[in-house]
Structure formats: structure tokens, C-alpha cells
Amino acid sequence: MSAVPATWMRGGTSKCWVFRRPDLDLPGRTVDAVLLGLFGSPDPRQLDGVGGATSTTSKAVILSPSDDPDVDVEYTFAQVGIDEAKVDWGSNCGNCSAVVAPFAVREGWVTPTGTRTRVRVLNTNTGQLMVQHVGTRDGGLDERPTTTIPGVVVPGARVDLGFVSPAGRSTGSLLPSGSPTDTLTAGDVTVPATLVDAGAPVVVLRAADLGLSARETPARLDARPDLLATLDGLRRAGAVAMGMADTPEAAARAVPKLAVVAAPDEAERSGGAHLVVRMLSMGLVHPALPITGSVALTLASRETGTVVSDLLGGPADGTATEAGHEFSMLTPAGLVTTTYSVEDGQPVVAAVRTYRRLVEGSIELPVVAGAPVSAADETARSTEPSDATDAAVTGSPGSPASEHQRAIA
Amino acid sequence: MSAVPATWMRGGTSKCWVFRRPDLDLPGRTVDAVLLGLFGSPDPRQLDGVGGATSTTSKAVILSPSDDPDVDVEYTFAQVGIDEAKVDWGSNCGNCSAVVAPFAVREGWVTPTGTRTRVRVLNTNTGQLMVQHVGTRDGGLDERPTTTIPGVVVPGARVDLGFVSPAGRSTGSLLPSGSPTDTLTAGDVTVPATLVDAGAPVVVLRAADLGLSARETPARLDARPDLLATLDGLRRAGAVAMGMADTPEAAARAVPKLAVVAAPDEAERSGGAHLVVRMLSMGLVHPALPITGSVALTLASRETGTVVSDLLGGPADGTATEAGHEFSMLTPAGLVTTTYSVEDGQPVVAAVRTYRRLVEGSIELPVVAGAPVSAADETARSTEPSDATDAAVTGSPGSPASEHQRAIA
């Protein structure tokens, strides 16, 4: 049997198995096959592996130090199939990315500096560069639980996931219509709107202009198809105004997103909220706030003349802290916080997440995933250790012979 | 932070975290509190711990070598609460007990003997003594996947869970009515029945006597409330005949169980089946066959004059193998196999299960489960390492000071 060193970590609201890249390079097996074997896939229950049989618990993060002098760590996210023998490398996971800086510090790939250490991170799925900050002390990681985020019932150690210069990534500019406030019409509804592109393109509307409070539960909003249709019409009109579609009908379903905002009342303000928000994504009200949406709202709040800054009585600077200017948005799940700072002359908007190391150890790889012991394995076995051949090793990577081979390599 | 050494193993159709008993003795915390912290409970998602948020993946097994010369290993099963901060110590888990012999061999608590090693096991939840056999070779565990069991999509390493002298544990004798076949009546249905007490008390009926084939899907049987009511009436009449209830109405819901059996046809026989069975437990058709039920049917098949042996043309001896006489029952989920042998003059009926080691490592214990960093923790921190007091250690068991304490102890 082969064992693969691994760390299990909670990152935000996901549970992620974390690997050093070379540890997944096993002779005769693809990385996909190794991950599927470790996770117990394909199997709807992932009973024979470490997968948790849900999308948020069948995730892997693969890390290595970077050769690029501007990058400390490169990481790749893998969504490991559950009942399919398939690994999806096509997207990043904002939650799992919270494990990158803490893992890099523990590995010694980054030298801790004081109580807060900066880690430059490249996600290879998307090519996106991030700057993360994680708490450190006494030259090591500071893993004490100090911070609570929506969706996690216990406090965790804080990590800030910074998006470097996020403005205009989709359209070329922060305010793609050229104006901080536009007017959008859908049916007989015409309202002011801010169209902002940061993290993701977002259409921002004032709740009061729609007869809403922005305190509605997602279920209550989802139960009003007429309202959702109007909001989607305004979202599509915004897509046209942002140059993302020629007609409202041609607008994509996923982007732009739509946010409905209100100013916090006195009690909400003293509870830490700078803004109250309900966000629609893919036609449904989000249970909290997507990270990309929180980045967009943070930058919209800082610009003069947007519907957000108008609501707040002028451009909002949040609350100054060591980590930057914190801006907290009250969502159905609680406060979602970002930090704004300028580093190396570039604006950085960071989402505050938490992490915790759960397990340090190694995962056993099945002899041959999904198949009984092969004849090749028996052959390799009977001839080791003196004369195991390369052919036997290649044909049966989990056999004792190949383990022997690995130990030599 | 404290880390607790642990091994994650699949045992049968469960995933079980396995601990050495002394590793859970942490100063200032109960074992219950330690387990809840490690598993991330209470939390319906167990997001901040190793629990899998289902009953089959929130299980712990705690082992130690035994001082009793007749016992090699003692083990305790714990069902760790998910959304409740509660650990249930009241019952054993047949699936998780499959990890005991392999773990004991790996720990060196039992010396391997040849290709099949015997381990005498005491379950402390129930006081039940078991004899397990696990494959070994070259003086260590043989973990190669050779065996398939219903409910697990991949083969695993075999372990035989032997019940020593299981007959009569509930009623005092294997055939509590004193006869191998009785007649039971419910409403206008009167059928022959065998009442057997081994593993659990079971009422055994012939499918043909009920107009059934014993090949029905559980869903099809569950959709016939009239049939289920008749079967439950016969089961209750059996309870009275076994001396377990004074009247049918007074019979318990959980016991006796009820089995409907048929002889295998030629194709089923060549596929390895000795008997075809559908079992009712708690008013519903079981998706496979409970281990206790498989023990009862095995012994019923070996006795002259039972409805089982009459069906099979005489007492059944199964198939002779190195492990004993194998008896395979075809269930909705596939073949469930037992072995029958005599050891030290006592009959042993064993259920064939499989196991796999998934992870070796250690689980991080949260600083204080379910609560933010406490003032006591900060105090302990600021005074360590020179003068951490016992009071600070007791009040804050997860602090660095207590970890220091553990290292000394």
C-alpha cells in the first residue's frame, strides 16, 4: 500500500484535503486517478475513502512553492467527483483558497513577519494572483480562533483573501457605463442603479426604490416570482448598459449579479454593519453573499455618486484596522466583512475567512482503485524485493514493489 | 493546540475514527468533550471537525490491550452526536467492530500467526466477548482487498467477526419453544415457523407459505401494508411462543425480528447462495440482512426439522473453507456470508466483513470546543512556559500550557 501525506483543513465553509504537489506524483497513475482513489470515488457515499459525499467535502488543494519571484505559492483546486470517476479542474474555490497561506507558513515556504504575514498566491486554475494575510506569532502560525464568519458555527483563525486590482476584470473598468449612477427600466419599473465591475460585474439597486427593506428572508423574496422577474429584467438592462450584452434577452444568466442594498439602522450599525444587502445569483436569493459580490459592493461604496455611497451619506471608508479598512455587509447569514488596502501601489480588496487544521497525517491509497488485487500485483509481490521489474511496477503502482521503488526515488 | 493520534478506518459500511484509550485522556476534559471537539459537534454539518455529518460517519472506536488473560483487546464504541453535544455509549456497532482485530495486530497487541490470526475481543458497551480472525502475512497485517460485502462498492481486506456461543442469549436456549418448528397464527393466516434465538431472537417463515418468493424488492414489500400487518402479527405470535411476551400486543417492536426464506434456484446456487432471505426489522424490510439475523439463520439452517433445513433438504453445513463452514444468504443487497466453526469446544458464528485503513495521523483538538479563545487561555499563554499554574491548565485544557503538561506526563 502507498500512503500519501496530507492535511485536512477547514477553509471557510468547506473541508479541503491539502497536498504538496510532489506527493501526488505516483508512478503509473495520473493525479486524477490518485485523487479518485484517495477520496473513494466513484461511489455516492465515498465509503472507502476520505471524501465526505457532498460537494463541499470532496475538495482537494494542491500546493507548491513558486519559481516566480513575485509569487510565494502556487495552488490548484480540484473538485473530486463523488459518483463520477471525474476530477474537475475548471474553477477555483474561494473557501478552499483560505488554506493556502496557513499551509505555506507551516511548510516554511514563507517567513513569518510579526503578527500578520503576507503571502503572494497564484491560483493555477484561473491564473489569478491573490495576496493573502494570515496571523502569525513567535515565528510561526497563529492558529487561535478569533474570528467568526457566516456559515461556520465556531470561531476560527483568520485569513484575509486579497484580490489585487479587482476593478474592470470583466469589462475593462470599475464603472463600465462611465457613470456612477445610471437609470434602468424593466416593464413599468424605472430605478437608479450603479453598475460596478470588481470581483464580478454587479448591478446595485436601492431596496427602497423597489418597495423592499433588504431585510427580507431569502425564502420570502424567492416566493415572489413577479418581483424576481422585475429584478431579473433590471439585471438584464444593466448587462446591456455595461456592454456585456446587445439586448436584455441576450444577457447571461450568471453575470452580472444583482444586489439590493439599504443603509443599516442604528442597532445594525452598532452591531458592526456598514451596509445591508440581499444578493441575487442565478435567479435565486443568495443565503449570504458571494465573495465576488462583496468585493464589488466594497468598491462601489468607496466611489462618489454611486447608489451605495449616496445611501451612506458619501463614500464609505469602513473601519480602519491593522488589516486595512474593514467594510461589513449584513446578509441573511450575518456579517460578511472585507478589507480594503493599497499594497505596492495597487488596491487590494480582501474577503475575511477563517480556517482550521483538522488532521495531519497520510491517506492510504487503495491497491487498485475500484478493482480487486490484480495478477500483476501478485507477481510483483512474489518477486520482491530482489528483482521487481519496471514493468511490474508500472502495471501495479500500489504494490509493495512500487512502494519500494518510491522509497528509493 | 493539542493533537490526538488517530486512525480513520472503514469498517463494513461505516467510517470509524479509531483511538488508543490513553490518547483520549486529556487533562481537564472529559472523553465526551474531547470526542465532540474532535468531531466538530454540535453542528449539523460537523464543518469544524472530522465528523461526516451522518450517523454512519460520526463513529469512534476506542481500544486498549486487555489485562484479562482470556481477552486480547477491549474496545468501546461511541456514537458521536452531530447536532447534539452528546455521545451515546449505549450500544455496539457491528460495522465498526471490524476495525478491532486489524488495529490490534498493527499495534502489536496480538502476535500474527500465519495467514489468519485470531484476536479475542471484549466489547465494553455490551460486555460481549467476540473472536475475530483477520488475514496476516510475513508477521504483519495482510491488507489486500480480497472480499466484497453488500453495501461497499469496492473489495476490502477480510475480517471475520465471530460470536462465541450465540445461542440462547435472550431466552436461554437456541429453540426457546422447545421445538424446531411451531405453528403461528395471525388473523386467518396459519403457517409453520421456526423460532430461533442466536445473535437475536428471530421468527423464520417460508416465503412460499405466504405467497411470496423472497426475491421481492424491499420497496415492493413495504408497499403492501396488509402483508406487513400479517407478518407483524405472526412475529408477535412468535414472541409469545418464545416466552418473550405474555400477549401478542405486549411484544416489543424491535425483537423478535422476522425472516422470510426460500431455497436458492440453480443460478443462485451456482452464484454461491445457500439461502434466499428477506428480513423485517422495526416494521420495515431490511435493505440487506442485520448481522444478528445472519447468525440466527445460520444456526437455524444447521438444526434438523427447522423450516430452513426442511427447505434445504436437511441440515445445511455450508461450504467448508479454511475459515470454517461458510453459509451465504442472498439478500436484496447481495450475498451476506457467515462462517461456522468450533473453537475451544464452543460454537462460533462469524459475520464476514471488510475493512480498510483510510488515514493515519492526528486530529487537532479545538482550543475550547464551541467557544472563542477564553481569557484563561490568554492568561495561560502569557505566563508560559515558566510558571503556568495548575489552575490555568485545568481551566483551559487546550492551551499551550496544557500541551506542555501532556508532554511531561
Side-chain angles (χ1 to χ4, degrees), chain B residues 341-400:
Chain B
S341 59
V342 175
E343 301 188 25
D344 299 337
Q346 295 186 300
V348 175
V349 184
V352 175
R353 303 264 82 193
T354 64
Y355 73 90
R356 194 168 85 82
R357 277 189 309 125
L358 303 175
V359 171
E360 296 272 359
S362 58
I363 311 175
E364 298 291 322
L365 190 64
V367 173
V368 176
V373 176
S374 67
D377 182 54
E378 289 299 312
T379 306
R381 173 75 202 165
S382 63
T383 55
E384 65 126 20
S386 59
D387 59 353
T389 65
D390 281 350
V393 169
T394 306
S396 177
S399 69

Short mmCIF file of all heavy atoms in Angstrom, two decimals, chain B residues 341-400:
data_model
loop_
_atom_site.label_atom_id
_atom_site.label_comp_id
_atom_site.label_asym_id
_atom_site.label_seq_id
_atom_site.Cartn_x
_atom_site.Cartn_y
_atom_site.Cartn_z
N SER B 341 -17.78 -22.34 13.05
CA SER B 341 -16.66 -23.19 13.45
C SER B 341 -16.81 -23.50 14.93
O SER B 341 -17.66 -22.94 15.61
CB SER B 341 -15.32 -22.47 13.18
OG SER B 341 -15.27 -21.25 13.89
N VAL B 342 -15.97 -24.40 15.40
CA VAL B 342 -15.95 -24.71 16.83
C VAL B 342 -14.54 -24.41 17.33
O VAL B 342 -13.56 -24.88 16.76
CB VAL B 342 -16.31 -26.20 17.08
CG1 VAL B 342 -16.17 -26.53 18.56
CG2 VAL B 342 -17.73 -26.48 16.59
N GLU B 343 -14.48 -23.54 18.32
CA GLU B 343 -13.16 -23.18 18.87
C GLU B 343 -13.19 -23.37 20.37
O GLU B 343 -14.11 -22.90 21.04
CB GLU B 343 -12.85 -21.71 18.55
CG GLU B 343 -12.85 -21.44 17.06
CD GLU B 343 -12.34 -20.04 16.74
OE1 GLU B 343 -11.59 -19.48 17.56
OE2 GLU B 343 -12.71 -19.53 15.68
N ASP B 344 -12.15 -24.01 20.91
CA ASP B 344 -12.10 -24.31 22.35
C ASP B 344 -13.41 -24.96 22.80
O ASP B 344 -13.92 -24.65 23.89
CB ASP B 344 -11.86 -23.03 23.15
CG ASP B 344 -10.53 -22.36 22.79
OD1 ASP B 344 -9.64 -23.08 22.28
OD2 ASP B 344 -10.40 -21.15 23.01
N GLY B 345 -13.97 -25.79 21.95
CA GLY B 345 -15.18 -26.51 22.31
C GLY B 345 -16.46 -25.69 22.22
O GLY B 345 -17.54 -26.18 22.52
N GLN B 346 -16.35 -24.43 21.78
CA GLN B 346 -17.55 -23.58 21.71
C GLN B 346 -17.87 -23.25 20.25
O GLN B 346 -16.97 -22.94 19.47
CB GLN B 346 -17.30 -22.28 22.46
CG GLN B 346 -17.11 -22.49 23.97
CD GLN B 346 -17.02 -21.17 24.69
OE1 GLN B 346 -16.13 -20.36 24.41
NE2 GLN B 346 -17.95 -20.94 25.60
N PRO B 347 -19.17 -23.28 19.90
CA PRO B 347 -19.54 -22.89 18.54
C PRO B 347 -19.32 -21.38 18.35
O PRO B 347 -19.60 -20.59 19.25
CB PRO B 347 -21.02 -23.24 18.44
CG PRO B 347 -21.50 -23.25 19.85
CD PRO B 347 -20.34 -23.66 20.71
N VAL B 348 -18.78 -21.03 17.19
CA VAL B 348 -18.55 -19.63 16.86
C VAL B 348 -19.19 -19.36 15.50
O VAL B 348 -18.90 -20.06 14.53
CB VAL B 348 -17.04 -19.30 16.79
CG1 VAL B 348 -16.82 -17.86 16.32
CG2 VAL B 348 -16.38 -19.53 18.14
N VAL B 349 -20.10 -18.41 15.44
CA VAL B 349 -20.67 -17.98 14.16
C VAL B 349 -20.13 -16.59 13.86
O VAL B 349 -20.28 -15.66 14.66
CB VAL B 349 -22.21 -17.94 14.20
CG1 VAL B 349 -22.75 -17.58 12.81
CG2 VAL B 349 -22.77 -19.28 14.65
N ALA B 350 -19.48 -16.49 12.71
CA ALA B 350 -18.82 -15.22 12.38
C ALA B 350 -19.46 -14.58 11.15
O ALA B 350 -19.83 -15.26 10.20
CB ALA B 350 -17.33 -15.46 12.10
N ALA B 351 -19.59 -13.25 11.21
CA ALA B 351 -20.03 -12.48 10.05
C ALA B 351 -18.79 -12.04 9.29
O ALA B 351 -17.82 -11.58 9.90
CB ALA B 351 -20.82 -11.26 10.50
N VAL B 352 -18.80 -12.22 7.98
CA VAL B 352 -17.67 -11.80 7.17
C VAL B 352 -17.85 -10.32 6.82
O VAL B 352 -18.84 -9.93 6.22
CB VAL B 352 -17.56 -12.64 5.89
CG1 VAL B 352 -16.43 -12.11 5.01
CG2 VAL B 352 -17.35 -14.11 6.24
N ARG B 353 -16.91 -9.52 7.24
CA ARG B 353 -16.92 -8.08 6.93
C ARG B 353 -15.59 -7.71 6.26
O ARG B 353 -14.66 -8.53 6.21
CB ARG B 353 -17.05 -7.23 8.21
CG ARG B 353 -18.26 -7.53 9.06
CD ARG B 353 -19.40 -6.58 8.77
NE ARG B 353 -20.16 -6.95 7.62
CZ ARG B 353 -21.05 -6.17 7.01
NH1 ARG B 353 -21.27 -4.95 7.42
NH2 ARG B 353 -21.70 -6.59 5.96
N THR B 354 -15.49 -6.46 5.78
CA THR B 354 -14.21 -5.98 5.26
C THR B 354 -13.85 -4.67 5.95
O THR B 354 -14.70 -4.02 6.57
CB THR B 354 -14.23 -5.75 3.75
OG1 THR B 354 -15.16 -4.71 3.44
CG2 THR B 354 -14.61 -7.02 3.00
N TYR B 355 -12.58 -4.33 5.86
CA TYR B 355 -12.11 -3.07 6.45
C TYR B 355 -11.06 -2.49 5.51
O TYR B 355 -10.53 -3.18 4.63
CB TYR B 355 -11.48 -3.31 7.84
CG TYR B 355 -10.13 -3.99 7.78
CD1 TYR B 355 -8.95 -3.24 7.69
CD2 TYR B 355 -10.03 -5.38 7.72
CE1 TYR B 355 -7.71 -3.86 7.57
CE2 TYR B 355 -8.80 -6.00 7.60
CZ TYR B 355 -7.63 -5.24 7.54
OH TYR B 355 -6.42 -5.85 7.41
N ARG B 356 -10.78 -1.19 5.68
CA ARG B 356 -9.62 -0.57 5.04
C ARG B 356 -9.16 0.59 5.91
O ARG B 356 -9.98 1.38 6.39
CB ARG B 356 -9.94 -0.05 3.63
CG ARG B 356 -8.65 0.27 2.84
CD ARG B 356 -8.90 0.50 1.36
NE ARG B 356 -9.29 1.84 1.06
CZ ARG B 356 -8.45 2.86 0.91
NH1 ARG B 356 -7.16 2.69 1.03
NH2 ARG B 356 -8.90 4.06 0.64
N ARG B 357 -7.86 0.69 6.11
CA ARG B 357 -7.30 1.88 6.73
C ARG B 357 -7.39 3.01 5.72
O ARG B 357 -6.97 2.87 4.58
CB ARG B 357 -5.84 1.66 7.12
CG ARG B 357 -5.66 0.96 8.45
CD ARG B 357 -4.21 0.95 8.88
NE ARG B 357 -3.35 0.45 7.82
CZ ARG B 357 -2.31 1.09 7.31
NH1 ARG B 357 -1.95 2.27 7.79
NH2 ARG B 357 -1.59 0.56 6.34
N LEU B 358 -7.92 4.15 6.14
CA LEU B 358 -8.04 5.29 5.24
C LEU B 358 -6.96 6.34 5.55
O LEU B 358 -6.31 6.84 4.64
CB LEU B 358 -9.42 5.93 5.38
CG LEU B 358 -10.62 5.00 5.13
CD1 LEU B 358 -11.93 5.74 5.43
CD2 LEU B 358 -10.63 4.47 3.71
N VAL B 359 -6.82 6.67 6.82
CA VAL B 359 -5.90 7.74 7.21
C VAL B 359 -5.18 7.35 8.50
O VAL B 359 -5.79 6.80 9.41
CB VAL B 359 -6.67 9.07 7.44
CG1 VAL B 359 -5.77 10.14 8.08
CG2 VAL B 359 -7.27 9.58 6.14
N GLU B 360 -3.87 7.64 8.54
CA GLU B 360 -3.12 7.55 9.79
C GLU B 360 -2.64 8.96 10.12
O GLU B 360 -2.10 9.64 9.25
CB GLU B 360 -1.85 6.68 9.62
CG GLU B 360 -2.10 5.24 9.29
CD GLU B 360 -2.26 4.38 10.54
OE1 GLU B 360 -2.18 4.92 11.66
OE2 GLU B 360 -2.50 3.18 10.37
N GLY B 361 -2.83 9.40 11.34
CA GLY B 361 -2.35 10.73 11.67
C GLY B 361 -2.82 11.19 13.01
O GLY B 361 -2.94 10.39 13.94
N SER B 362 -3.10 12.48 13.11
CA SER B 362 -3.57 13.02 14.38
C SER B 362 -4.59 14.10 14.09
O SER B 362 -4.53 14.79 13.07
CB SER B 362 -2.41 13.59 15.19
OG SER B 362 -1.74 14.60 14.45
N ILE B 363 -5.56 14.20 14.99
CA ILE B 363 -6.64 15.18 14.85
C ILE B 363 -6.36 16.33 15.81
O ILE B 363 -6.06 16.12 16.98
CB ILE B 363 -8.01 14.56 15.20
CG1 ILE B 363 -8.21 13.22 14.47
CG2 ILE B 363 -9.13 15.53 14.86
CD1 ILE B 363 -9.51 12.52 14.87
N GLU B 364 -6.47 17.55 15.29
CA GLU B 364 -6.29 18.73 16.13
C GLU B 364 -7.54 18.95 16.97
O GLU B 364 -8.66 18.92 16.47
CB GLU B 364 -6.07 19.98 15.26
CG GLU B 364 -4.84 19.91 14.39
CD GLU B 364 -3.55 19.97 15.20
OE1 GLU B 364 -3.50 20.72 16.19
OE2 GLU B 364 -2.61 19.25 14.83
N LEU B 365 -7.32 19.19 18.26
CA LEU B 365 -8.44 19.48 19.15
C LEU B 365 -8.63 20.99 19.18
O LEU B 365 -7.66 21.74 19.35
CB LEU B 365 -8.09 18.96 20.55
CG LEU B 365 -9.19 18.93 21.60
CD1 LEU B 365 -10.31 17.97 21.20
CD2 LEU B 365 -8.60 18.52 22.94
N PRO B 366 -9.87 21.49 19.01
CA PRO B 366 -10.05 22.93 19.09
C PRO B 366 -9.64 23.45 20.46
O PRO B 366 -9.72 22.72 21.45
CB PRO B 366 -11.55 23.13 18.87
CG PRO B 366 -12.14 21.82 18.61
CD PRO B 366 -11.11 20.76 18.79
N VAL B 367 -9.22 24.71 20.51
CA VAL B 367 -8.73 25.29 21.77
C VAL B 367 -9.77 25.11 22.85
O VAL B 367 -9.52 24.54 23.90
CB VAL B 367 -8.39 26.79 21.58
CG1 VAL B 367 -8.06 27.42 22.91
CG2 VAL B 367 -7.23 26.91 20.60
N VAL B 368 -10.97 25.61 22.63
CA VAL B 368 -12.09 25.31 23.50
C VAL B 368 -13.28 25.05 22.59
O VAL B 368 -13.69 25.96 21.86
CB VAL B 368 -12.43 26.46 24.46
CG1 VAL B 368 -13.67 26.12 25.28
CG2 VAL B 368 -11.24 26.73 25.39
N ALA B 369 -13.78 23.83 22.60
CA ALA B 369 -14.83 23.45 21.66
C ALA B 369 -16.02 24.39 21.79
O ALA B 369 -16.54 24.60 22.87
CB ALA B 369 -15.27 22.01 21.93
N GLY B 370 -16.42 24.94 20.68
CA GLY B 370 -17.65 25.72 20.63
C GLY B 370 -17.59 27.08 21.27
O GLY B 370 -18.61 27.73 21.44
N ALA B 371 -16.43 27.56 21.65
CA ALA B 371 -16.35 28.87 22.30
C ALA B 371 -15.10 29.60 21.82
O ALA B 371 -14.13 28.99 21.41
CB ALA B 371 -16.29 28.70 23.81
N PRO B 372 -15.12 30.91 21.84
CA PRO B 372 -13.94 31.66 21.41
C PRO B 372 -12.80 31.50 22.41
O PRO B 372 -12.97 30.95 23.49
CB PRO B 372 -14.43 33.11 21.37
CG PRO B 372 -15.64 33.15 22.24
CD PRO B 372 -16.23 31.76 22.22
N VAL B 373 -11.62 32.00 22.04
CA VAL B 373 -10.47 31.94 22.93
C VAL B 373 -10.85 32.59 24.25
O VAL B 373 -11.41 33.69 24.29
CB VAL B 373 -9.28 32.71 22.31
CG1 VAL B 373 -8.13 32.75 23.29
CG2 VAL B 373 -8.86 32.06 21.02
N SER B 374 -10.59 31.89 25.34
CA SER B 374 -11.03 32.40 26.64
C SER B 374 -9.94 33.25 27.28
O SER B 374 -8.77 33.17 26.93
CB SER B 374 -11.36 31.23 27.57
OG SER B 374 -10.16 30.53 27.86
N ALA B 375 -10.35 34.05 28.24
CA ALA B 375 -9.39 34.85 28.99
C ALA B 375 -8.38 33.95 29.69
O ALA B 375 -7.20 34.23 29.75
CB ALA B 375 -10.13 35.72 30.01
N ALA B 376 -8.88 32.80 30.18
CA ALA B 376 -7.98 31.86 30.86
C ALA B 376 -6.88 31.39 29.91
O ALA B 376 -5.72 31.26 30.29
CB ALA B 376 -8.77 30.65 31.37
N ASP B 377 -7.25 31.17 28.66
CA ASP B 377 -6.26 30.73 27.68
C ASP B 377 -5.21 31.82 27.48
O ASP B 377 -4.02 31.55 27.44
CB ASP B 377 -6.94 30.42 26.35
CG ASP B 377 -5.95 29.93 25.31
OD1 ASP B 377 -5.23 28.96 25.61
OD2 ASP B 377 -5.90 30.52 24.22
N GLU B 378 -5.68 33.05 27.37
CA GLU B 378 -4.75 34.16 27.20
C GLU B 378 -3.81 34.26 28.40
O GLU B 378 -2.63 34.50 28.27
CB GLU B 378 -5.52 35.48 27.02
CG GLU B 378 -6.23 35.59 25.69
CD GLU B 378 -5.24 35.54 24.52
OE1 GLU B 378 -4.23 36.25 24.54
OE2 GLU B 378 -5.47 34.75 23.60
N THR B 379 -4.38 34.03 29.60
CA THR B 379 -3.56 34.08 30.81
C THR B 379 -2.50 32.99 30.79
O THR B 379 -1.32 33.23 31.00
CB THR B 379 -4.45 33.88 32.06
OG1 THR B 379 -5.49 34.84 32.00
CG2 THR B 379 -3.64 34.04 33.33
N ALA B 380 -2.95 31.78 30.47
CA ALA B 380 -2.01 30.66 30.43
C ALA B 380 -0.90 30.96 29.43
O ALA B 380 0.27 30.73 29.68
CB ALA B 380 -2.74 29.38 30.05
N ARG B 381 -1.31 31.50 28.29
CA ARG B 381 -0.35 31.82 27.24
C ARG B 381 0.68 32.82 27.73
O ARG B 381 1.88 32.64 27.55
CB ARG B 381 -1.12 32.39 26.04
CG ARG B 381 -0.24 32.92 24.92
CD ARG B 381 0.35 31.77 24.14
NE ARG B 381 1.53 32.21 23.43
CZ ARG B 381 2.41 31.37 22.90
NH1 ARG B 381 2.20 30.08 22.99
NH2 ARG B 381 3.48 31.82 22.28
N SER B 382 0.21 33.89 28.38
CA SER B 382 1.13 34.97 28.70
C SER B 382 2.12 34.56 29.78
O SER B 382 3.18 35.15 29.91
CB SER B 382 0.35 36.21 29.14
OG SER B 382 -0.35 35.91 30.32
N THR B 383 1.75 33.52 30.55
CA THR B 383 2.64 33.13 31.64
C THR B 383 3.52 31.94 31.29
O THR B 383 4.45 31.65 32.00
CB THR B 383 1.83 32.78 32.91
OG1 THR B 383 0.89 31.76 32.56
CG2 THR B 383 1.09 34.00 33.43
N GLU B 384 3.19 31.22 30.19
CA GLU B 384 4.02 30.07 29.87
C GLU B 384 5.33 30.51 29.26
O GLU B 384 5.41 31.60 28.73
CB GLU B 384 3.27 29.12 28.93
CG GLU B 384 2.98 29.71 27.59
CD GLU B 384 3.48 28.86 26.43
OE1 GLU B 384 3.71 27.67 26.58
OE2 GLU B 384 3.66 29.44 25.37
N PRO B 385 6.40 29.71 29.30
CA PRO B 385 6.36 28.36 29.86
C PRO B 385 6.78 28.31 31.32
O PRO B 385 6.73 27.26 31.93
CB PRO B 385 7.40 27.63 29.01
CG PRO B 385 8.41 28.70 28.72
CD PRO B 385 7.68 30.00 28.68
N SER B 386 7.19 29.45 31.88
CA SER B 386 7.88 29.37 33.17
C SER B 386 6.96 29.04 34.34
O SER B 386 7.31 28.24 35.18
CB SER B 386 8.59 30.69 33.44
OG SER B 386 7.64 31.74 33.46
N ASP B 387 5.76 29.63 34.37
CA ASP B 387 5.00 29.50 35.61
C ASP B 387 3.51 29.26 35.37
O ASP B 387 2.67 29.80 36.05
CB ASP B 387 5.19 30.75 36.47
CG ASP B 387 4.75 32.00 35.74
OD1 ASP B 387 4.41 31.89 34.53
OD2 ASP B 387 4.70 33.06 36.35
N ALA B 388 3.18 28.49 34.35
CA ALA B 388 1.78 28.13 34.14
C ALA B 388 1.28 27.36 35.36
O ALA B 388 1.93 26.41 35.80
CB ALA B 388 1.63 27.27 32.89
N THR B 389 0.19 27.80 35.92
CA THR B 389 -0.30 27.16 37.14
C THR B 389 -1.22 26.00 36.80
O THR B 389 -1.76 25.94 35.71
CB THR B 389 -1.09 28.15 37.99
OG1 THR B 389 -2.26 28.52 37.25
CG2 THR B 389 -0.27 29.38 38.31
N ASP B 390 -1.41 25.12 37.75
CA ASP B 390 -2.35 24.03 37.56
C ASP B 390 -3.74 24.56 37.30
O ASP B 390 -4.48 24.00 36.50
CB ASP B 390 -2.38 23.11 38.81
CG ASP B 390 -1.19 22.16 38.81
OD1 ASP B 390 -0.51 22.10 37.77
OD2 ASP B 390 -0.96 21.51 39.83
N ALA B 391 -4.11 25.63 37.98
CA ALA B 391 -5.45 26.19 37.81
C ALA B 391 -5.65 26.62 36.36
O ALA B 391 -6.68 26.34 35.75
CB ALA B 391 -5.66 27.37 38.74
N ALA B 392 -4.65 27.27 35.80
CA ALA B 392 -4.78 27.73 34.42
C ALA B 392 -4.88 26.52 33.48
O ALA B 392 -5.66 26.52 32.54
CB ALA B 392 -3.59 28.60 34.03
N VAL B 393 -4.13 25.48 33.77
CA VAL B 393 -4.17 24.29 32.92
C VAL B 393 -5.54 23.65 32.97
O VAL B 393 -6.14 23.32 31.96
CB VAL B 393 -3.09 23.28 33.37
CG1 VAL B 393 -3.30 21.94 32.69
CG2 VAL B 393 -1.71 23.84 33.07
N THR B 394 -6.09 23.50 34.18
CA THR B 394 -7.40 22.88 34.33
C THR B 394 -8.48 23.70 33.63
O THR B 394 -9.35 23.17 32.96
CB THR B 394 -7.75 22.73 35.82
OG1 THR B 394 -6.69 22.03 36.45
CG2 THR B 394 -9.06 21.98 36.01
N GLY B 395 -8.36 25.00 33.78
CA GLY B 395 -9.41 25.85 33.21
C GLY B 395 -9.35 25.95 31.70
O GLY B 395 -10.29 26.35 31.06
N SER B 396 -8.23 25.58 31.14
CA SER B 396 -8.05 25.80 29.70
C SER B 396 -7.24 24.67 29.11
O SER B 396 -6.08 24.82 28.78
CB SER B 396 -7.33 27.14 29.48
OG SER B 396 -7.09 27.34 28.11
N PRO B 397 -7.86 23.50 29.00
CA PRO B 397 -7.11 22.29 28.69
C PRO B 397 -6.47 22.28 27.31
O PRO B 397 -5.55 21.52 27.07
CB PRO B 397 -8.17 21.18 28.80
CG PRO B 397 -9.47 21.87 28.64
CD PRO B 397 -9.29 23.24 29.22
N GLY B 398 -6.94 23.12 26.40
CA GLY B 398 -6.35 23.09 25.07
C GLY B 398 -5.22 24.08 24.90
O GLY B 398 -4.68 24.21 23.81
N SER B 399 -4.87 24.77 25.94
CA SER B 399 -3.87 25.82 25.80
C SER B 399 -2.49 25.23 25.65
O SER B 399 -2.25 24.06 25.98
CB SER B 399 -3.90 26.71 27.05
OG SER B 399 -3.41 25.97 28.16
N PRO B 400 -1.54 26.03 25.19
CA PRO B 400 -0.17 25.54 25.06
C PRO B 400 0.37 25.02 26.39
O PRO B 400 1.11 24.05 26.43
CB PRO B 400 0.60 26.78 24.60
CG PRO B 400 -0.43 27.61 23.89
CD PRO B 400 -1.72 27.37 24.65
#
